[in-house]
Amino acid sequence: MASGTSRDVVGRGLRVLGRAIREQPRIFAVAVTGSVLFGLMVIASAYVVGGVVGKVVVPAVARGSVTDGALALAAAALFGISVLRVVGIFGRRLGAGYMQYRLQATYRRRVTRRYLDLPLAWHHRNATGTLLSNANSDVEAAWYPIAPLPFAVGTLVMLVGAVVSLFLTDWALALVGLAVFPALFALNVVYSRRMAPRQARAQRLRAEVSGIAHESFDGALVVKTMGREAQETARFAARAGDLRDALISVGRLRGVFDPMLETLPSLGTLAVLVVGAIRLRQGAITVTELVSVAFLFTVLAFPVRAIGWVLAELPRSVAGWDRVRRVLDATGEMPYGEVALDPATPAPATLAFHDVHFGYEPAEAHLPGTEVLGEVTFTVPAGKTVALVGPTGAGKSTIASLAVRLVDPRTGTVTLDGVDVRQLTAASLASTVALVAQVPFVFDDTVRANIALDRPGIGDEEVWAALRLAEADGFVAALPEGLDTMVGERGTSLSGGQRQRLTLARALAGRPRLLVLDDATSAVDPRVEAAILAGLRAPADGGAPASILVVAYRRATIALADEVIYVEQGRVVARGTHTDLLATVPGYADLVTAYEQAEQEREQTRTYDEVTPLTSGLEVEVDR
Ligand SMILES: Nc1ncnc2c1ncn2[C@@H]1O[C@H](COP(=O)(O)OP(=O)(O)OP(=O)(O)O)[C@@H](O)[C@H]1O
Ligand SMILES: [Mg+2]
C-alpha cells in the first residue's frame, strides 16, 4: 500500500483523478453531463410523485373520482423524466466505460513502450513478474475509480440541488436533510477507510497466490523430480487460506456497513414524515411538498454510495499509479547518435574496446556498485575472428553486451569502424552488429517469422541461406510444416541446440558486419559447432566474412579463431593464438582442459540432438 496517512492518500488519489480528467476531458464531460441529468431527474421525479399524490390522489380520494386530465399529465411527466433518466444513465455509463478503458489502453501502451526504451541496465534491476503486473494490474488499479467517478460527481451536484430544493420547500425539512446527507457521506467515508487496508491486503495476497502458482508450474519439473508436490501444495494452500480470510474480512465489513447505509436514508424518511406531519398541521407545507421530500430521501440513498465507491478505490488507485509512474518516469535510456555507418559495399566491421570500465548498477541505490570490467582493450579487426575465453563470471557476456551497445561503458569507448557506438543511429547499429545471446530466445511464432523478424529484404531464400549457414536447414526441413511451423512457447518445442541454431540464423539473416556469439552454439554437437564457425569465416558464396567475436570453450572452436582474448575477473589477462596461450598461460590451459574433460564425460551420457532429433517432453523442459 502507498505510504502516508489516509488523508494524503485521498489528496493524491484526487490528483490522479485530475490527471485522468485532463487526459480525457471530453468523454468525462459527456459522462458527468449524463450523471447530472440523471441526478436532476431523480429530484424531479420526487417532486412529480409528490405532485401526483398531492394534486391527483388526495383530491381524488376526497372526491371519489379521478380527473383524467391531471392523471394523464402526471403520467406524461413521469414518462418524460424516465426517458431523460435513461439517457442520463446511458451517457454516464458509456462515458465512464470509454474513459476507463481508454485510459487503461493508453497507459498499457505507454508502459510497454517505455520498457522497450529503457536500457538493459534498468531491466537487470527489475523482475519480469513486476513488469508484467505494472503493465496489467497496476494500470487497471490506477484507473478503477474512473468507473464510479462521473456518478459521484453527478451525485454531488444532485445533493446540492436537493438541499437547495429542500430550502425552497421548507426550512425545517431542509434541516433534516442537512443532518442526514452529511451523516450518509461520513458513513461512506468511514466505510471506505476501513475497507481500503482490507482490500489492499486482499490485492497483495492475490498477487502472492498467483505468484506461487506461477512458480510451481514453471518449476514443475523440479517439483516433480524432487518429490516436492506435497510441500508446494501446502505452501499454496497456506497463502490461498490467507486470501480467503482477507476476502471474508472484506465481506464481514460489507455485512456491517451495507445495512447501515441502507437504513440511514430510511431513518431520514421517517424523520421527514415526523417533522413534515408537524409542519403540515401548522400549515407551513402542503401534502405535495411532504410527499416530494419523503420520496426524495428514499431515492437519494443509492447514488450517494457512488461517492463511497470512488473513495474506496482511491488507495488502490494511488498504489497502482505510483508503480506505473515509476516506470514512466524511469530514466537512463540510451539516446542514439546521428552517425550512419552504411558503406556502399558491405564489408566486415572493425570493433575496438578502448580502456573500457563497466559495472552493473546495484539493485538498490544505496548498495555499492562493483566494477565488473576494468581496462578492457582489444580489437576485432575487419574480417577476423576473435575468441573470448574465460572462467564463468569473468565478464564475457558483459563484453558481448557492450559490443552491441546493450549497455554503455562507465568510462572508455567502444568503437565500430572507428566511430564511438554512442554516436551511431539505431538503424545503423542494428544493421551493423548482431548478437546471438547466451540464452536463446524464440518467439511464439513461425520459424520464418522468428528468423526474418519483419526486416525488409529477408525473403524465404535469405531465410534458407541463413539456416544453411547455421546448420539448421536440416532440422527445419524435417519440421511438419517447414518454415511455417509454429515454435516457441505454444508451438513445436525445440531442443536447446535447435533453439541456438535458430537464433544464430536470425542474426545471420540480417547479414551483420560484426557477429557477436555469446556461447551461442554450446548445446550444438562440437563437430557441428566447428563447421558453423568455419562456414562463417569462409562463406560458400565467396562474399566477405563478417568480423566475429565469439565466446567459446571448445578447443576445436577456439582453434579456428585468429586471436584469443583470455579474461579473468573482468580483466584481459592474456591474448595471442590458441597455441601460444596454451603454452604460456597456465590458467588458460587449465580452463580449456577442464572444459574438455567435462565435455567428454557429458558426451558419454548425453547425445546431442543432431544425433537423435528429439521433441519429447523431459529434455525439452530441461532446455527451457
Ligand atoms: N544483470 C547483472 N546485474 C549485476 N551483476 C551482474 C549482472 N550480470 C552479470 N553480473 C555480474 O557481472 C560479472 C560478469 O558476468 P558475465 O555474465 O559477463 O560473466 P560471463 O563471463 O559471461 O560468465 P558465464 O561464463 O557464466 O556466462 C559476474 O560477476 C556477474 O555476477
Ligand atoms: Mg556469459
Side-chain angles (χ1 to χ4, degrees), residues 107-138:
Y107 275 83
R108 280 211 176 94
R109 267 201 305 273
R110 285 189 195 164
V111 167
T112 42
R113 178 70 240 181
R114 193 82 200 118
Y115 288 159
L116 297 180
D117 287 340
L118 284 166
L120 208 62
W122 186 86
H123 285 273
H124 285 153
R125 294 195 301 273
N126 291 278
T128 319
T130 314
L131 301 191
L132 278 176
S133 85
N134 287 159
N136 273 318
S137 54
D138 291 335

Side-chain angles (χ1 to χ4, degrees), residues 124 360 372 390-399 438 518 553:
H124 285 153
Y360 289 97
V372 169
T392 177
K396 304 179 296 296
S397 296
T398 309
I399 291 176
Q438 191 163 16
D518 186 1
Y553 293 96

Side-chain angles (χ1 to χ4, degrees), residues 322-598:
D322 281 347
R323 290 160 57 113
V324 168
R325 211 186 41 192
R326 199 183 61 86
V327 175
L328 297 181
D329 291 351
T331 51
E333 67 265 69
M334 307 192 304
Y336 291 99
E338 300 290 328
V339 180
L341 270 189
D342 294 313
T345 45
T350 303
L351 169 75
F353 275 53
H354 305 278
D355 194 17
V356 168
H357 290 252
F358 179 82
Y360 289 97
E361 280 170 51
E364 286 164 50
H366 60 90
L367 296 173
T370 48
E371 189 169 87
V372 169
L373 293 180
E375 295 168 34
V376 173
T377 301
F378 69 90
T379 306
V380 181
K384 300 291 184 195
T385 299
V386 171
L388 204 52
V389 181
T392 177
K396 304 179 296 296
S397 296
T398 309
I399 291 176
S401 310
L402 283 158
V404 298
R405 205 181 170 222
L406 285 177
V407 291
D408 279 333
R410 274 189 186 165
T411 59
T413 51
V414 177
T415 63
L416 277 170
D417 285 347
V419 182
D420 189 327
V421 288
R422 283 172 287 209
Q423 291 171 359
L424 295 178
T425 61
S428 207
L429 203 57
S431 64
T432 308
V433 297
L435 166 72
V436 185
Q438 191 163 16
V439 183
F441 181 79
V442 177
F443 291 97
D444 183 19
D445 208 330
T446 61
V447 172
R448 177 187 293 106
N450 259 291
I451 291 172
L453 291 185
D454 276 336
R455 287 172 288 184
I458 301 182
D460 280 8
E461 206 174 306
E462 286 76 17
V463 168
W464 279 116
L467 286 170
R468 268 194 301 280
L469 270 176
E471 303 276 346
D473 51 330
F475 86 82
V476 170
L479 286 173
E481 292 168 77
L483 290 186
D484 291 312
T485 311
M486 292 291 290
V487 291
E489 191 89 356
R490 277 177 298 271
T492 302
S493 296
L494 299 175
S495 74
Q498 290 172 334
R499 251 164 210 269
Q500 284 193 332
R501 279 172 291 160
L502 218 55
T503 51
L504 176 61
R506 178 191 295 153
L508 294 172
R511 296 195 149 261
R513 299 166 52 223
L514 169 74
L515 189 60
V516 181
L517 305 176
D518 186 1
D519 218 1
T521 39
S522 56
V524 177
D525 181 280
R527 283 172 299 276
V528 179
E529 185 184 47
I532 291 173
L533 201 62
L536 295 178
R537 283 171 49 75
D541 61 5
S547 312
I548 302 172
L549 177 63
V550 56
V551 175
Y553 293 96
R554 289 170 178 154
R555 199 185 282 265
T557 315
I558 303 170
L560 286 172
D562 298 296
E563 192 186 23
V564 178
I565 313 264
Y566 181 59
V567 287
E568 257 178 20
Q569 297 183 358
R571 310 262 153 171
V572 176
V573 181
R575 63 205 310 164
T577 63
H578 174 58
T579 341
D580 291 346
L581 294 187
L582 270 186
T584 56
V585 184
Y588 178 78
D590 291 348
L591 184 72
V592 174
T593 318
Y595 187 78
E596 216 158 41
Q597 271 170 4

Side-chain angles (χ1 to χ4, degrees), residues 55-97:
K55 302 225 166 73
V56 180
V57 177
V58 174
V61 169
R63 229 187 8 256
S65 73
V66 177
T67 29
D68 287 348
L71 196 62
L73 190 70
L78 277 179
F79 181 75
I81 285 171
S82 301
V83 169
L84 288 179
R85 238 161 91 151
V86 168
V87 170
I89 293 174
F90 186 71
R92 159 168 60 80
R93 287 251 170 122
L94 203 66

